Amino acid sequence: AFVFIVNKDNPLDSITVDQIRDVYSGAITDWSQLGVEGVGPIVAYQRPKNSGSQTALEALMGDTPLMEAPQGVVAWDMGDIVDTVEYRNLPNAIGYSFRFFCTDMMGSEVKLLAVDGVSPTEENIRNGSYPITSTLYAIRLKGNDNPNVLALLEWIQSPQGMALVEKSGYTPWEG
């Protein structure tokens, strides 16, 4: 799941996809426009072009033009964007990452915002109600007669394979 993060002390709990687009296009520039008083201007961190999370943001933006990141507001790696929001005491920062990176890899205390009123919990990701997820597929080329390929695909779908998927920070397929 692609998540939006704020400092744990930021009173905002939920944001809409349209508000995200407005923040990252520059149409919304102050927290008061999101109903949060006393925090001031929004500092909307971005990642470098062609990074995985920046590509996810660009896809979410759709036809809405993405604003240029202000000088010094590009986090060069995913850890930096989480650290900036969490530890550098920036109550006015917003950023984005992938859920498993924030929660499992970083063990971060940033607040994961609900999007369109739906929190990015494992249950909401699994049941499809959280609106910003990606499905990853394992496929094989037609005509590939290597018996190990089919065995690997069958194992990935087994209870043991799904347990490994979950331990890796992803939400396993249930079917």
Side-chain angles (χ1 to χ4, degrees):
F2 189 53
V3 297
F4 287 82
I5 58 175
V6 295
N7 184 283
K8 67 181 178 176
D9 296 325
N10 186 311
L12 187 71
D13 292 320
S14 186
I15 193 166
T16 68
V17 170
D18 287 340
Q19 288 170 327
I20 293 166
R21 288 183 181 127
D22 286 346
V23 166
Y24 280 95
S25 70
I28 290 179
T29 60
D30 196 277
W31 285 100
S32 63
Q33 294 171 275
L34 296 173
V36 178
E37 299 299 330
V39 178
I42 295 172
V43 179
Y45 279 84
Q46 292 188 44
R47 294 283 322 286
K49 191 158 185 63
N50 297 323
S51 67
S53 54
Q54 186 70 9
T55 302
L57 177 66
E58 290 168 359
L60 181 68
M61 295 296 287
D63 293 332
T64 305
L66 182 63
M67 70 177 174
E68 287 291 320
Q71 186 73 15
V73 188
V74 173
W76 293 104
D77 63 44
M78 288 204 321
D80 190 34
I81 204 164
V82 174
D83 286 344
T84 297
V85 171
E86 181 175 13
Y87 297 117
R88 294 191 187 154
N89 210 14
L90 295 174
N92 58 337
I94 187 169
Y96 49 84
S97 188
F98 294 98
R99 183 186 182 280
F100 83 95
F101 189 82
C102 291
T103 58
D104 295 358
M105 292 178 73
M106 292 285 295
S108 174
E109 292 185 19
V110 293
K111 184 188 295 185
L112 306 181
L113 295 176
V115 176
D116 291 339
V118 181
S119 295
T121 64
E122 285 185 31
E123 179 182 347
N124 291 340
I125 294 164
R126 186 174 280 115
N127 69 28
S129 62
Y130 182 75
I132 315 172
T133 61
S134 297
T135 302
L136 304 177
Y137 296 94
I139 59 172
R140 67 181 175 103
L141 295 175
K142 185 177 181 178
N144 184 333
D145 58 358
N146 183 331
N148 295 320
V149 173
L150 189 55
L152 175 64
L153 294 176
E154 288 173 358
W155 177 81
I156 289 171
Q157 296 175 67
S158 73
Q160 184 182 35
M162 289 290 102
L164 181 60
V165 166
E166 191 163 25
K167 283 182 181 179
S168 299
Y170 292 92
T171 302
W173 167 74
E174 292 181 350

